[in-house]
């Protein structure tokens, strides 16, 4: 088994040093490393996503590569992973790993996460699962996973659906496959893209002032995601402005600021009448990823709602 490792390291470590620091990694796979970019993942942006996705697309085409491991900071791995899952056409395993503790910490988790990540990548049953994250012995589909705690090693959870599996000292157990569209069944691609449409997220709260909605539209947002209260709600004033924005051709997705749950279409808000999209299971950050890619295909609200139901 030959696994390719292309990292987005958040610190100052070179990927070759990271690989060399993990005992017995070479017993699992022949691993070669490549540094695509070296940034804290809080600095992740559309340009890096496009660069990483297009390099990943090349790497997975190589007959000599059986799987890819991507090292990534934990702050935005849930967004990068979902983006890559939507645009990378391959059955080969793509595993994202990170660490909650720095390499200098007592009981640093990076080495064991990398070891488990490689074990997951080479495990029977990994093919066709799309992009997964492996941290703290848990495997999660990138589509489902969210970071839930600022500093704990037990932070990554698939809040609505549960994990994809577990990997303990390299012993891998897979649970149910991801039935949502992704990878080879996804209609999205980064081919020919040099930028992504601007999509802004606006956070709802008691007394939400709608001015930021107008500001985002004025600044050129083609899509808006509202991190709504409860089931994707917002003040009447904000609802009036997003309705106006939708009428003007900006695609508006109602997501939720809550940690889990589904935003239901036409439940508390009449989406049909107002021309809005309900995010279903996707949190605001993931909704933004899907909406950006959706807008590379269409501005049709009904079609985009179908995408939010299917991806
Ligand atoms: N802020 C860092 C990052 O996401 C935290 C980490 O290293 O995981 O890049």
């Amino acid at each position: 088994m030959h696994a390719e490792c292309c990292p987005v390291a958040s610190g100052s470590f070179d990927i070759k040093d990271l690989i060399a620091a993990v005992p017995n990694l070479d017993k699992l796979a022949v691993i070669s490393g490549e540094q695509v970019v070296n940034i804290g993942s809080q600095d992740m942006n559309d340009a890096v996503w496009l660069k990483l996705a297009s390099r990943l697309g090349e790497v997975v085409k190589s007959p000599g590569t059986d799987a890819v491991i991507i090292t990534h900071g934990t702050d935005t791995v849930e967004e990068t992973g979902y983006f890559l899952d939507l645009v990378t056409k391959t059955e080969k395993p793509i595993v994202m790993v990170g660490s909650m503790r720095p390499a200098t910490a007592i009981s640093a988790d990076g080495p064991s996460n990398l070891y488990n990540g490689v074990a997951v990548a080479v495990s029977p049953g990994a093919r066709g699962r799309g992009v997964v994250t492996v941290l703290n012995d848990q495997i999660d589909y990138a589509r489902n996973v969210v970071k839930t705690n600022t500093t704990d090693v037990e932070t990554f959870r698939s809040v609505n659906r549960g994990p994809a599996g577990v990997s303990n000292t390299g012993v891998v157990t897979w649970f149910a496959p991801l039935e949502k569209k992704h990878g080879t069944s996804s209609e999205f691609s980064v081919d020919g893209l040099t930028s992504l449409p601007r999509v802004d997220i606006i956070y709802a709260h008691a007394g939400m002032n709608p001015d930021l909605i107008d500001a985002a539209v004025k600044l050129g947002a083609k899509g808006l995601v509202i991190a709504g209260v409860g089931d994707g709600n917002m003040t009447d004033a904000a609802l009036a402005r997003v309705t106006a924005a939708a009428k003007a051709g900006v695609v508006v997705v109602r997501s939720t600021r809550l940690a889990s749950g589904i935003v239901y279409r036409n439940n508390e808000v009449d989406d049909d009448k107002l021309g809005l999209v309900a995010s279903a299971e996707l949190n605001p950050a993931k909704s933004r990823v899907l909406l950006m890619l959706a807008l590379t295909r269409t501005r049709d609200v009904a079609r985009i709602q179908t995408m939010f139901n299917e991806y």
Side-chain angles (χ1 to χ4, degrees), residues 74-75 99-101 147-156:
T74 55
D75 287 354
S99 64
M100 286 302 291
R101 294 179 179 148
K147 189 176 185 180
T148 63
N149 187 285
T150 51
T151 51
D152 280 1
V153 289
E154 187 177 5
T155 181
F156 285 98

Side-chain angles (χ1 to χ4, degrees), residues 12-304:
S12 50
F13 285 93
D14 188 88
I15 186 58
K16 303 220 165 46
D17 298 331
L18 290 178
I19 294 168
V22 182
N24 296 322
L25 207 53
D26 56 348
K27 298 209 172 79
L28 293 178
V30 179
I31 302 174
S32 54
E34 164 181 342
Q35 196 97 21
V36 174
V37 67
N38 194 347
I39 55 172
S41 81
Q42 58 271 33
D43 254 340
M44 183 50 74
N45 57 56
D46 300 0
V48 176
W49 278 348
L50 291 173
K51 181 180 179 190
L52 180 60
S54 85
R55 181 64 191 133
L56 180 61
E58 287 166 7
V59 168
V60 293
K61 277 198 204 115
S62 160
T65 298
D66 298 303
V68 181
I69 322 289
I70 301 173
T71 62
H72 195 293
T74 55
D75 287 354
T76 58
V77 66
E78 66 196 83
E79 290 163 69
T80 302
Y82 188 42
F83 182 81
L84 296 176
D85 203 20
L86 292 174
V87 299
T88 311
K89 312 257 178 285
T90 186
E91 295 289 308
K92 292 180 183 177
I94 300 167
V95 177
M96 304 192 70
V97 297
S99 64
M100 286 302 291
R101 294 179 179 148
T104 48
I106 293 170
S107 300
D109 56 333
S112 74
N113 289 341
L114 184 52
Y115 185 85
N116 275 322
V118 174
V120 166
V122 302
S123 71
R127 275 184 71 88
R129 299 238 176 202
V131 179
V132 297
T133 59
V134 177
L135 291 103
N136 197 37
D137 289 8
Q138 187 166 307
I139 313 167
D140 290 280
Y141 294 113
R143 187 248 180 210
N144 297 338
V145 74
V146 289
K147 189 176 185 180
T148 63
N149 187 285
T150 51
T151 51
D152 280 1
V153 289
E154 187 177 5
T155 181
F156 285 98
R157 294 176 187 275
S158 297
V159 287
N160 287 323
R161 289 177 175 249
V166 288
S167 176
N168 180 268
T169 59
V171 180
V172 177
T173 305
W174 285 101
F175 302 156
L178 177 67
E179 86 228 3
K180 293 288 181 179
K181 279 188 178 175
H182 65 102
T184 51
S185 64
S186 168
E187 68 206 83
F188 305 114
S189 156
V190 294
D191 290 351
L193 289 182
T194 52
S195 64
L196 292 165
R198 175 170 173 159
V199 173
D200 291 324
I201 298 174
I202 298 177
Y203 195 90
H205 51 86
M208 178 185 187
N209 184 307
D211 292 351
L212 290 180
I213 295 165
D214 295 342
V217 172
K218 217 181 264 168
L219 288 166
K222 302 289 180 279
L224 287 180
V225 175
I226 306 297
V229 294
D231 188 8
N233 289 313
M234 65 204 87
T235 56
D236 281 348
L239 201 55
R241 302 286 181 91
V242 292
T243 303
K247 288 222 162 66
V250 175
V251 179
V252 181
V253 174
R254 291 186 307 108
S255 181
T256 178
R257 68 182 197 175
L258 301 186
S260 63
I262 295 168
V263 173
Y264 289 97
R265 186 170 178 80
N266 296 330
N267 186 14
E268 285 190 67
V269 174
D270 191 341
D271 295 298
D272 284 349
K273 189 168 143 212
L274 305 183
L276 309 178
V277 175
S279 74
E281 279 172 53
L282 298 181
N283 72 9
K286 288 181 201 281
S287 294
R288 178 174 174 270
V289 168
L290 181 56
L291 183 53
M292 286 194 303
L293 288 169
L295 288 168
T296 65
R297 291 283 184 265
T298 182
R299 293 179 87 144
D300 183 79
V301 169
R303 240 184 103 191
I304 293 177

